[in-house]
Amino acid sequence: MRHREKTEDRDGMRIDWDMPIVMDDGIVLRADIYRPADDGAYPVIMTLGPYGKQLHFEDGYPHQWHLMCREHPDVPTGSTNKYQVWEVVDPEKWVPDGYVVIRVDSRGAGTSDGVIDIWSLREAQDLAICVDWAGVQPWSNGKVGLNGISYFAENQWQTAALQPAHLAAICTWEGAADFYRDLAHHGGIFCNGFTKAWSEAQVYNVQNGRGSNGYKSRLTGDWVSGPETLTEEQLGANRRNFYEDCLANRLDTDEYWQSRMPDWSKVRTPLLSSANWGGQGLHPRGNFEGFVRAASEQKWLEVHGLEHWTEFYTDYGVALQKKFFGHFLKGEDTGWADQPPVLLQVRHPGERFVERREDEWPIARTQWTKYHLDAGTHSLSGAPADADGQVTYAGLGDGVTFLTPPLESPTEITGPIAAKLFVSSATEDADLFLVVRVFSPDLKEVVFHGALDPHTPVAQGWLRVSHRKLDDQLTLPYRPYHTHDEIQPMTPGEVYEVDVEVWPTCIVVPPGHRIALTVRGRDYVYPGDVADDGEKLGGVWNGVGPFKHDDPRDRPADVFGGDVTIHTGPDRPSHLLLPVIPAR
C-alpha cells in the first residue's frame, strides 16, 4: 500500500510526514521531519525507535502524561502539545529555536518496513545511516545531535561507536548501555518481568502492519503502524521474540549480546549522560559506565530524581539539553563552557534534591567505608565481628537484614557500592539479591519515587553465585565487573568469597536513621502499603516495578532453592563498601 508522504505548514513549522530513508540493504525507514518554516540550514535533533513516531503521548501513556502535567505544569506550558510523543523532544519547543526535529520509526515499527530486532547492531547501523542522511539535506547545517529518553538514548551509545560523519553530539537521557548487565541478566539472573511485559506492551503493540488493528494518530489522522493490516501470524514472522532471545542467551559470550555492546574506545562524540538515581534495574548503570568509559574528550554527567519520564520534559531538562546542543550544534555561547563535568541533584528523604557541582565520578574525596556484617547480631559496623558466625536463610526466601546503630550525624552516600560476601549453599547455585536500605528512627523504611516504582529502596545489586568470576581488567574495588562468560557451579556446603556490584546511588541519611543491608533469595518487596492508582507495566509494583526475576525456567527450585548461609567474622570479613562523602 502507498505511504502518506506529504509536506504541510502547521503551527509555525514545516512538517514532512513519513519521508523515506533507504537503508544499505534496501529496507525503507520512515521519518517525520519538523523544521522551521523559513528556508535555511539548521542543526538536527534526531531519534530512532520502536514506539510509533505518530502515537501521541497521551494516547499511548495517559497515566504518565496526566501525572506529569499535573505535578509539573511547566511541561505543557509554551506548547499546543499536539505533537507530544513518548520519550522524545517536543518540536514546538525546539523548532522555534532554529532546530530541525526528526523522528524515525525503527525497522519493523510504526510506518517503517522490516523485522523488529530490539537493540540490534542492525538498528544502530540504521540510525548511523539516518544521521548521515540528515547531515546532507538542504535544510541541515551538517550537524546532527541525538537526544531522547530510554530506548532513544540506549541506541545512541552504539551509534556513536560507529562514528557517523555528521554526528556532532549525543544526549543519552536515562539510557542503558550494556543490555546483558543493565536489563536482561542482572548479575546473571534473568529479568523476565521487564523483558516480556515491556516488549509486548510498548513495542509489539505499534509494530508495522498492525494498521487498523492498532492506534489511529491524532497527529496525522492515519494509522500509527502503517496502512497495511497484517495477520497475527504475519506480524509474528516480522519480529524476533525478545523475551525468548534473552532467556536463550544466558551468557555474555553469546553473539547476541556482544553485537549489542558499544566499543567504548570508539565512542568519541561529545556527550551528556543524564542518569536517574531511582532507575534501578534498567538505565543508570549504563549512564555511569558510559560516562566513565567512553573515549570522548568532552563528556558530562548529570544525575536527577523523580519519575523516569519527567525531568526530560521539564524546564530544567529542556534548558540543560538546549545549553548542551546550542554549544555543539550551533556554536553559540550558551554558557556550556562553564558546565561542571558532573552535576548532581543530591537526594534527601522526602524527594528533596539539592544541586551540587563536582569535578569527577566517582567523587575524588569519597571516603570508601567498610560496614562489616555480623551474623550473630545481624548488625553492620565499622569493624569485623570478633568471632566467626553464620546465618542461614531459604534460598528463594526473604533473606536476612543487617542494621547499623542510629547515625550520630548526617551521612551522605553518593557513588557506586560493592559488597563482599562469604556464602555457602545447600544446592549447586544461589541467587543473591542485595538491597541497601535506610530506616527512620521508628524503623519505618525510607523509600523514593524511583524512575518507575513509587516505593523504590536506596540501592540494589544482584549476583548469581555461579557467575562470580571477575574480569581482572575491568574490576575496581568499588565496582566489581563480572565476565558472565562461564558457569561455575557451587559445591554444596563449600564457602565461596563473592563480590557483588550494587548500582550507584545517592542519599543523605539524617541523624538517628539507620543504614541496612538485606541479602535475599528473591526480589525486594516494600514492607508498607503499595496501593496506588494507574495501570502498571508487568502487573503490581511492590518495590522493584516490572524488574522481576521469577521465571522458573531460569531459577528452578532444585538448583536455587537450597538454604543459603552467610559467613562473617575475622576470617570471613563479609562487608558492604559504601561511598561516604564528606562535606567540602
Side-chain angles (χ1 to χ4, degrees):
M1 287 189 179
R2 186 177 171 279
H3 270 270
R4 301 78 50 102
E5 300 164 18
K6 61 183 177 182
T7 299
E8 58 182 345
D9 291 333
R10 284 168 54 171
D11 298 304
M13 301 180 288
R14 183 155 295 153
I15 307 175
D16 306 302
W17 300 108
D18 276 322
M19 292 297 110
I21 307 177
V22 182
M23 299 297 101
D24 54 358
D25 61 355
I27 289 292
V28 176
L29 304 188
R30 298 278 169 176
D32 291 343
I33 305 166
Y34 302 81
R35 49 196 173 98
D38 295 335
D39 291 338
Y42 302 97
V44 175
I45 300 292
M46 176 177 278
T47 49
L48 176 146
Y51 294 156
K53 66 184 185 304
Q54 292 173 8
L55 176 62
H56 194 275
F57 196 138
E58 186 179 18
D59 294 336
Y61 305 87
H63 171 73
Q64 291 89 333
W65 174 252
H66 292 296
L67 175 69
M68 182 168 63
C69 291
R70 182 175 70 247
E71 297 188 357
H72 303 275
D74 54 318
V75 171
T77 301
S79 172
T80 70
N81 298 297
K82 293 178 185 176
Y83 309 96
Q84 292 277 16
V85 171
W86 177 248
E87 297 186 337
V88 297
V89 303
D90 177 4
E92 289 189 278
K93 292 191 176 183
W94 286 80
V95 173
D97 279 358
Y99 290 93
V100 174
V101 172
I102 302 179
R103 299 168 174 169
V104 186
D105 277 332
S106 58
R107 183 175 292 240
T111 58
S112 290
D113 298 339
V115 174
I116 293 178
D117 190 4
I118 289 169
W119 289 307
S120 61
L121 174 59
R122 178 68 257 183
E123 271 196 1
Q125 293 167 336
D126 288 348
L127 180 49
I129 292 169
C130 291
V131 166
D132 282 339
W133 174 88
V136 298
Q137 298 306 304
W139 34 255
S140 170
N141 73 350
K143 294 184 176 182
V144 179
L146 301 178
N147 185 28
I149 319 175
S150 192
Y151 202 107
F152 303 102
E154 291 161 311
N155 56 21
Q156 294 182 37
W157 297 114
Q158 195 170 15
T159 301
L162 299 175
Q163 300 181 346
H166 292 276
L167 185 60
I170 63 174
C171 175
T172 57
W173 199 280
E174 300 183 36
D178 179 338
F179 301 115
Y180 182 93
R181 293 167 181 78
D182 292 358
L183 64 90
H185 292 272
H186 296 133
I189 309 169
F190 178 45
C191 180
N192 58 296
F194 175 74
T195 50
K196 183 174 179 63
W198 164 78
S199 59
E200 293 178 355
Q202 292 185 225
V203 178
Y204 303 156
N205 69 330
V206 287
Q207 181 180 354
N208 178 249
R210 289 216 174 269
S212 59
N213 289 330
Y215 293 95
K216 178 163 278 192
S217 173
R218 71 165 78 172
L219 283 69
T220 63
D222 295 319
W223 298 111
V224 168
S225 297
E228 289 188 283
T229 303
L230 303 180
T231 66
E232 287 300 319
E233 290 77 12
Q234 290 171 314
L235 289 168
N238 284 341
R239 64 179 184 244
R240 294 290 301 260
N241 187 317
F242 182 64
Y243 179 78
E244 294 297 336
D245 281 349
C246 289
L247 181 60
N249 293 281
R250 294 172 184 263
L251 295 175
D252 194 28
T253 54
D254 300 323
E255 176 64 18
Y256 186 84
W257 301 115
Q258 292 291 307
S259 67
R260 286 162 165 75
M261 184 68 184
D263 181 343
W264 293 115
S265 70
K266 295 181 179 178
V267 179
R268 298 174 183 168
T269 310
L271 68 90
L272 169 60
S273 180
S274 188
N276 186 310
W277 296 124
Q280 300 160 33
L282 186 53
H283 294 304
R285 182 184 184 278
N287 282 112
F288 291 110
E289 288 285 303
F291 172 72
V292 171
R293 297 178 65 190
S296 305
E297 293 183 2
Q298 300 179 88
K299 55 185 179 179
W300 291 263
L301 175 69
E302 183 271 347
V303 197
H304 54 269
L306 305 181
E307 304 89 354
H308 162 58
W309 56 87
T310 299
E311 286 288 28
F312 182 81
Y313 293 94
T314 62
D315 285 350
Y316 166 80
V318 173
L320 186 67
Q321 296 157 40
K322 286 187 176 180
K323 189 177 179 182
F324 173 70
F325 284 113
H327 178 84
F328 285 105
L329 303 188
K330 291 183 171 185
E332 294 179 346
D333 181 8
T334 63
W336 193 260
D338 298 322
Q339 182 74 12
V342 176
L343 183 66
L344 306 178
Q345 302 297 332
V346 177
R347 187 167 63 173
H348 297 249
E351 306 294 340
R352 186 170 67 90
F353 298 91
V354 179
E355 186 167 287
R356 191 174 72 219
R357 301 159 69 101
E358 295 289 350
D359 294 325
E360 67 287 302
W361 182 269
I363 298 169
R365 66 183 185 282
T366 301
Q367 295 174 348
W368 298 102
T369 306
K370 291 181 180 179
Y371 284 79
H372 292 269
L373 284 62
D374 187 328
T377 61
H378 289 196
S379 63
L380 279 178
S381 61
D386 293 334
D388 291 338
Q390 60 187 49
V391 59
T392 299
Y393 63 90
L396 296 176
D398 293 332
V400 59
T401 297
F402 302 86
L403 201 63
T404 68
L407 300 182
E408 296 181 358
S409 58
T411 302
E412 179 183 337
I413 300 168
T414 299
I417 296 172
K420 182 181 289 291
L421 299 177
F422 291 81
V423 299
S424 60
S425 173
T427 46
E428 66 185 55
D429 211 342
D431 284 344
L432 306 177
F433 294 74
L434 271 61
V435 190
V436 177
R437 309 165 75 181
V438 168
F439 289 91
S440 65
D442 60 358
L443 291 180
K444 289 184 179 177
E445 185 168 5
V446 178
V447 291
F448 299 88
H449 199 306
L452 292 180
D453 199 300
H455 306 99
T456 300
V458 170
Q460 296 181 78
W462 305 262
L463 181 66
R464 175 158 290 173
V465 178
S466 62
H467 286 235
R468 62 190 175 276
K469 179 183 172 185
L470 294 172
D471 185 317
D472 293 337
Q473 304 257 307
L474 294 176
T475 290
L476 299 165
Y478 51 79
R479 197 288 317 275
Y481 195 98
H482 298 89
T483 60
H484 298 294
D485 61 358
E486 66 174 300
I487 296 172
Q488 300 178 334
M490 304 172 74
T491 299
E494 185 172 327
V495 179
Y496 294 87
E497 178 182 342
V498 299
D499 295 280
V500 185
E501 176 186 5
V502 179
W503 287 18
T505 191
C506 173
I507 176 65
V508 178
V509 186
H513 286 54
R514 301 170 186 251
I515 300 169
L517 173 68
T518 299
V519 184
R520 297 171 58 88
R522 59 184 176 183
D523 287 311
Y524 165 84
V525 175
Y526 172 59
D529 180 12
V530 298
D532 73 308
D533 58 358
E535 185 179 345
K536 297 290 183 288
L537 180 68
V540 174
W541 290 356
N542 56 11
V544 297
F547 306 108
K548 299 169 185 174
H549 309 74
D550 54 11
D551 189 318
R553 291 178 294 172
D554 184 63
R555 308 187 67 218
D558 61 332
V559 176
F560 297 95
D563 285 350
V564 174
T565 300
I566 299 173
H567 302 262
T568 66
D571 297 327
R572 289 167 175 164
S574 294
H575 64 264
L576 180 68
L577 182 67
L578 291 181
V580 177
I581 308 299
R584 281 198 176 103

